[in-house]
Coordinates of all heavy atoms in Angstrom, one line a residue:
T539 N 73.0 -29.7 41.7 CA 72.2 -29.9 42.9 C 73.0 -30.5 44.0 O 73.8 -31.4 43.8 CB 70.9 -30.7 42.6 OG1 71.3 -32.0 42.2 CG2 70.1 -30.1 41.5
D540 N 72.7 -30.1 45.2 CA 73.4 -30.7 46.4 C 72.7 -30.1 47.7 O 72.0 -29.1 47.6 CB 74.9 -30.3 46.4 CG 75.7 -31.1 47.4 OD1 76.2 -32.2 46.9 OD2 75.8 -30.7 48.5
A541 N 72.9 -30.8 48.8 CA 72.4 -30.3 50.0 C 73.1 -29.0 50.5 O 72.5 -28.2 51.2 CB 72.6 -31.4 51.1
N542 N 74.3 -28.7 49.9 CA 75.0 -27.5 50.3 C 75.1 -26.6 49.1 O 75.4 -27.1 48.0 CB 76.5 -27.9 50.7 CG 77.3 -26.7 51.0 OD1 77.9 -26.1 50.1 ND2 77.5 -26.4 52.3
I543 N 74.7 -25.3 49.3 CA 74.6 -24.4 48.1 C 76.0 -24.2 47.4 O 76.0 -24.1 46.2 CB 74.0 -23.1 48.5 CG1 73.7 -22.2 47.3 CG2 74.8 -22.4 49.6 CD1 72.9 -22.8 46.2
V544 N 77.0 -24.1 48.2 CA 78.4 -23.9 47.6 C 78.7 -25.1 46.7 O 79.2 -25.0 45.6 CB 79.5 -23.7 48.6 CG1 80.8 -23.7 48.0 CG2 79.2 -22.4 49.4
S545 N 78.5 -26.3 47.2 CA 78.7 -27.6 46.4 C 77.9 -27.6 45.2 O 78.3 -28.0 44.1 CB 78.5 -28.8 47.3 OG 79.4 -28.8 48.4
A546 N 76.6 -27.2 45.3 CA 75.7 -27.2 44.1 C 76.3 -26.2 43.1 O 76.3 -26.5 41.9 CB 74.3 -26.8 44.5
S547 N 76.8 -25.1 43.5 CA 77.3 -24.1 42.6 C 78.6 -24.6 41.9 O 78.8 -24.4 40.7 CB 77.6 -22.8 43.3 OG 76.5 -22.2 43.9
L548 N 79.5 -25.3 42.6 CA 80.7 -25.8 42.0 C 80.3 -26.9 41.0 O 80.9 -27.0 39.9 CB 81.6 -26.4 43.1 CG 82.1 -25.4 44.2 CD1 83.1 -26.0 45.1 CD2 82.7 -24.1 43.5
K549 N 79.3 -27.7 41.4 CA 78.9 -28.7 40.4 C 78.3 -28.1 39.1 O 78.5 -28.6 38.0 CB 77.9 -29.6 41.1 CG 78.4 -30.6 42.2 CD 77.4 -31.3 43.0 CE 76.7 -32.3 42.2 NZ 75.7 -33.1 43.1
A550 N 77.6 -27.0 39.3 CA 77.0 -26.3 38.2 C 78.1 -25.8 37.2 O 78.0 -25.8 36.0 CB 76.2 -25.1 38.6
I551 N 79.2 -25.3 37.8 CA 80.4 -24.8 37.0 C 81.0 -26.0 36.2 O 81.3 -25.9 35.0 CB 81.4 -24.1 37.9 CG1 80.8 -22.8 38.5 CG2 82.6 -23.8 37.0 CD1 81.6 -22.3 39.6

Side-chain angles (χ1 to χ4, degrees):
T539 64
D540 196 87
N542 178 278
I543 185 57
V544 172
S545 296
S547 300
L548 300 186
K549 289 170 72 173
I551 295 167

